[in-house]
Amino acid sequence: MPKIHVLPEHVANQIAAGEVVERPAAVIKELVENSLDAGARRIEIEFREGGRSLLRVEDDGAGMSAEDAVLALERHATSKIAQAADLDRLTTFGFRGEALPSIASVSRFLLRTRPPESETGTEILVNGGKVVHVRECGKPVGTSIEVAHLFHPVPARRKFLKSDATESAHITQCVRLYALAHPRVAFTLIDDGRIVFRSPKCPSLAERVGEIFGRQLAEPLLPIDVGEPGLRLHGLIGRPGISRSNRHETITFVNGRPVDSRALNFSLAEGYQESIPKGRYPLAFVFFECDPAAVDVNVHPAKREVRFRSENTVRSFVVRSVLRTLRALGGGAAPAPAAVSAFALAESGAKFGEWAAPPALERRGAALAPASPPPPATSSPGSLPAAAPAWKLLGQAHGTYSVFETPAGLVLLDRKAAGERIWFERLQDQFRSGAVPSQRLLLPVPVELDPIASALLRDRREFLQAHGFEIGEFGGRFFRIQAVPAWMEPSEAEAFLRDLLGAMRDGQLGEKNLDLAREQLARLAAARAARPDALPGEAQIRRLLAELFATRSPLASPAGRPTFIEIPHHELARRFEKG
Ligand code: ADP
Ligand code: MG
C-alpha cells in the first residue's frame, strides 16, 4: 500500500503555480493587480528576456508591515476576503491569496515593502519557495517585487515558454489592458531597458488609448455611455465602416477587470452587423458594469473568463447600447460594404430550399487550394462551361450582382467574389514570378503603430518589400508608407497595412513557409483589390466572366464563397408549383 502523506508546502505551491502562473505575463498580471488593489497611483513594470530572467513591478501603494509581508507569502493568505460569501461582492482583483506564494515557489523572489506608517521597510528573499532572509531595509512607501529566473525550480515548465518576442508581446498586451482600465494611474513599461510606453496619469480613457495605441487610432473613436437599471456600458467604440481583421482591438472589461467574454464579443459584433463587413471585428474599448453578484469571476484560476448569471440580459443590453450609439450619429450606419450582402445572400439562398450551387462548391474548402486543377465540368446542372459562358445578361441587382439567363436556368453572379478570384490568381502569379509592380506615393502615409505591431513590421519588412511595399522607419513606432503595390488605392494603404500586421499577429504570413505566406497575402490583397463597379457596362461584365473562367478555380472566391449561384429550371418550376 502506498503511504498517504501531506505534500510539503513548497510542493503544493509549485502545483498551484502551474495554474496561476502559466507564463511571465501571468506573473505581471498578478503583481499589477496587487498594486492596483493596494491603491497605487504609479506603477512601473520592467522585464528582461521576455520575463525569463527578470520581472519587476514597483508601486507607490499602501505597502505592507513586516508581519503582513511574511504572511502574504503563505498560501491562502489574503487581506481581501474573509469568508466565502464575500466572493459574491468582490471589488478587488485578488481574493485567492495564491499568487505571491505560487510565484515565489517557482522563482527567486525579492519583496521589498513599506507602509506609510512605518519608518523602515521590510525585505524578504525567497528562493524556490524557501525563505532565504527577512530583514529591514530602506524603502520609499510602496511595494517592489522582483521575480528572477522564473520557472528555474521547475525546468519542465520552462520548456513551455515561447520565444522572448512572444512572451514580451503577451506582457505588453497585459500591461496595456490594465493601463486602459486605470487611466488615472501612471504606467511605465520597460522591456530590456527600453521604454515600451510611459503614460502619465490621463484625464480620460481617450487620452490613454491615444498614449498606448497611437493618436491615429484614438481619434476616430466614438464615446459610448449607456445605462439601464443595474447595467452600464461605457468607453469608446469605432465609427461605422472601421473594422479589423482580428479581435486584438476589441477590448472589454467587466467591473474594471479585463476579460475575454464570449457574451460581450458576440454582442458587440451583433451591434455592428450593419456597420462593418461580416467576418471583421469592431474597434471597442468598453467597460461593462453590473452588480458584482451577477457575474462569476471565479471560473478560472487566472480569472480571464467571466460568466454572467443572466447572459441574455447582458447580450441584449450591449447590442441595444451599441445600436443606439451608432444610430445617434445621424444618417444611420454606413452602407454595408459589398462583401457583406454577397455573403448574406449566399447564406439566405440556402434557406429558400435547394438552390443549386455548382456541385464543386459543396465542399467549400475544395476551391481553396489554388494549385488544384479546375473543377471538372459536370452535366448537372449542366451549364458549367469550360470557357467564358455565353450567358444572356438580364441586368444588375443590388450593386454587386449580375443576373443572367442560362440554358439551365438563371444565374446570379457576385462580381465582388468573382473579382477576388481573378485578383487572387493574378497576384499569386506576380508573387511567384518575383515581379510585383509597385507605385511610389506622392505623399507618403504616416502610420503610428503599437509596440507589438512595430516589432512585427520590423521583422517582416523584407517580405513586404518583396511584395510591393516600401515602408520607412522614423524611430520607435512611427513609420511611413512610401510605396504600395500597383493594384492598391493609396487611400487604403494604411488600413491594409494594419490588416496585414493583424494577420501576422494571428500567426499568418509567417516566415517559415513562403508559399503559404504569399497565398495568405494574396487572399487579403484580393479582397481589397476587387472593387466592382456599381453600374458596369455589358462589355465589362463579359470581360469579367472571361477572366473568371480563365482562372484555375472559377467557382469560388479565395475565401471559399461561391462566385455565382444557379437556380435551375426544375427549381423554378417547383417554386411556381408547375406539376
Ligand atoms: P490576493 O491578491 O489574492 O489577496 P496575493 O498572493 O496576490 O493574494 O497577495 C496576498 C496579499 O499580499 C494581498 O491580499 C495583500 O494584502 C498583500 N499584497 C500583495 N501585493 C501587494 C502590494 N503590491 N501592495 C500591498 N499589499 C500587497
Ligand atoms: Mg493578488
Side-chain angles (χ1 to χ4, degrees):
M1 279 284 276
K3 200 167 158 335
I4 295 179
H5 55 262
V6 174
L7 289 173
E9 176 91 355
H10 77 277
V11 177
N13 284 334
Q14 287 180 350
I15 293 170
E19 287 195 312
V20 184
V21 290
E22 47 199 349
R23 64 183 345 153
V27 173
I28 292 293
K29 168 184 178 295
E30 293 295 336
L31 298 182
V32 169
E33 287 188 349
N34 281 346
S35 296
L36 290 166
D37 282 345
R41 304 282 73 195
R42 190 188 59 76
I43 305 178
E44 186 171 294
I45 299 113
E46 184 186 355
F47 64 97
R48 288 184 185 275
E49 295 177 63
R52 229 176 276 263
S53 58
L54 178 78
L55 297 158
R56 180 176 63 84
V57 174
E58 200 162 333
D59 68 52
D60 62 352
M64 287 174 266
S65 66
E67 201 185 335
D68 278 354
V70 171
L71 205 56
L73 291 166
E74 307 226 339
R75 255 183 115 196
H76 306 305
T78 178
S79 55
K80 299 170 195 171
I81 61 169
Q83 55 201 42
D86 292 344
L87 281 175
D88 282 346
R89 31 175 193 273
L90 280 175
T91 52
T92 53
F93 285 114
F95 59 85
R96 287 166 178 269
E98 272 182 349
L100 296 189
S102 301
I103 297 164
S105 75
V106 291
S107 65
R108 183 181 175 280
F109 181 97
L110 182 68
L111 164 73
R112 305 175 87 235
T113 186
R114 183 191 139 199
E117 61 276 9
S118 168
E119 290 289 303
T120 55
T122 307
E123 176 180 295
I124 305 182
L125 177 65
V126 184
N127 202 355
K130 304 203 178 79
V131 177
V132 179
H133 67 237
V134 179
R135 61 186 179 211
E136 261 188 16
C137 67
K139 165 97 186 66
V141 171
T143 302
S144 143
I145 292 180
E146 263 182 49
V147 176
H149 311 307
L150 184 64
F151 299 138
H152 242 278
V154 277
R157 292 202 60 79
R158 223 176 145 78
K159 277 197 222 119
F160 283 103
L161 292 180
K162 301 278 189 299
S163 70
D164 287 2
T166 304
E167 296 301 340
S168 97
H170 280 281
I171 293 174
T172 302
Q173 179 69 1
C174 168
V175 176
R176 291 211 292 200
L177 294 179
Y178 285 92
L180 285 174
H182 297 270
R184 291 196 173 79
V185 177
F187 275 86
T188 305
L189 177 64
I190 306 166
D191 174 358
D192 278 333
R194 197 174 48 85
I195 293 182
V196 181
F197 64 80
R198 182 197 289 283
S199 178
K201 172 180 167 178
C202 290
S204 67
L205 174 67
E207 281 292 311
R208 190 41 74 78
V209 172
E211 290 262 341
I212 299 179
F213 288 86
R215 313 248 160 242
Q216 235 175 6
L217 182 140
E219 254 160 38
L221 295 174
L222 291 172
I224 182 171
D225 193 351
V226 180
E228 286 181 12
L231 303 168
R232 186 175 165 213
L233 186 75
H234 61 104
L236 297 164
I237 58 176
R239 285 180 186 278
I242 300 182
S243 66
R244 291 287 188 267
S245 59
N246 57 64
R247 228 185 247 126
H248 301 312
E249 281 137 8
T250 309
I251 293 174
T252 54
F253 301 86
V254 171
N255 293 339
R257 189 188 288 280
V259 295
D260 197 14
S261 152
R262 266 167 57 91
L264 292 182
N265 286 338
F266 270 134
S267 43
L268 285 168
E270 250 171 279
Y272 271 90
Q273 216 173 29
E274 306 161 20
S275 316
I276 60 177
K278 202 168 179 127
R280 309 246 332 158
Y281 302 95
L283 280 175
F285 303 87
V286 290
F287 294 79
F288 176 73
E289 320 276 359
C290 64
D291 177 357
V295 25
D296 188 359
V297 292
N298 202 9
V299 183
H300 186 278
K303 308 181 208 94
R304 274 182 315 239
E305 297 169 20
V306 291
R307 201 170 289 149
F308 296 108
R309 303 256 146 93
S310 169
E311 193 169 310
N312 281 340
T313 314
V314 172
R315 282 181 70 157
S316 61
F317 166 70
V318 172
V319 175
R320 257 196 322 277
S321 307
V322 171
L323 286 177
R324 204 182 297 170
T325 305
L326 294 180
R327 284 181 184 149
L329 278 179
V340 189
S341 37
F343 194 43
L345 185 81
E347 280 196 333
S348 63
K351 282 191 214 119
F352 290 173
E354 307 86 63
W355 277 33
L361 283 180
E362 281 161 17
R363 283 178 304 120
R364 276 193 148 210
L368 282 176
S372 65
T378 58
S379 53
S380 85
S383 67
L384 293 181
W391 297 336
K392 181 173 160 198
L393 181 64
L394 299 181
Q396 314 304 327
H398 298 295
T400 178
Y401 305 112
S402 296
V403 188
F404 301 86
E405 183 188 299
T406 68
L410 292 173
V411 157
L412 292 173
L413 171 76
D414 179 349
R415 295 197 307 280
K416 166 83 175 153
E420 285 181 22
R421 163 55 58 189
I422 295 164
W423 272 107
F424 178 67
E425 297 198 4
R426 192 179 286 162
L427 291 170
Q428 280 218 312
D429 291 344
Q430 281 183 9
F431 293 173
R432 266 189 224 115
S433 71
V436 183
S438 170
Q439 53 177 328
R440 187 151 281 284
L441 301 181
L442 280 178
L443 296 172
V445 181
V447 187
E448 184 185 356
L449 296 172
D450 67 53
I452 300 177
S454 311
L456 283 167
L457 180 53
R458 265 180 221 112
D459 277 0
R460 302 295 279 136
R461 202 151 60 157
E462 230 168 275
F463 173 80
L464 294 174
Q465 197 123 344
H467 294 90
F469 287 92
E470 196 182 305
I471 297 163
E473 192 178 336
F474 287 85
R477 53 198 201 193
F478 294 91
F479 297 86
R480 220 177 266 174
I481 308 177
Q482 287 150 340
V484 295
W487 56 264
M488 181 180 275
E489 284 284 356
S491 65
E492 292 190 339
E494 187 202 334
F496 186 66
L497 180 66
R498 287 185 188 275
D499 277 6
L500 287 184
L501 294 168
M504 287 174 187
R505 236 173 110 171
D506 285 335
Q508 293 191 49
L509 303 154
E511 280 160 292
K512 294 224 175 78
N513 184 336
L514 181 63
D515 283 342
L516 183 63
R518 281 176 168 164
E519 184 185 317
Q520 288 165 337
L521 176 62
R523 193 172 299 136
L524 289 167
R528 289 249 172 206
R531 288 180 293 262
D533 267 320
L535 288 171
E538 172 148 8
Q540 238 176 313
I541 293 181
R542 293 274 161 229
R543 186 158 14 129
L544 181 76
L545 270 186
E547 284 178 346
L548 176 65
F549 281 90
T551 63
R552 292 178 282 271
S553 302
L555 297 181
S557 79
R561 285 192 285 270
T563 47
F564 63 89
I565 53 179
E566 181 156 47
I567 309 163
H569 289 305
H570 65 79
E571 174 64 13
L572 291 169
R574 193 180 69 80
R575 295 187 68 87
F576 286 107
E577 301 177 17
K578 293 179 182 167

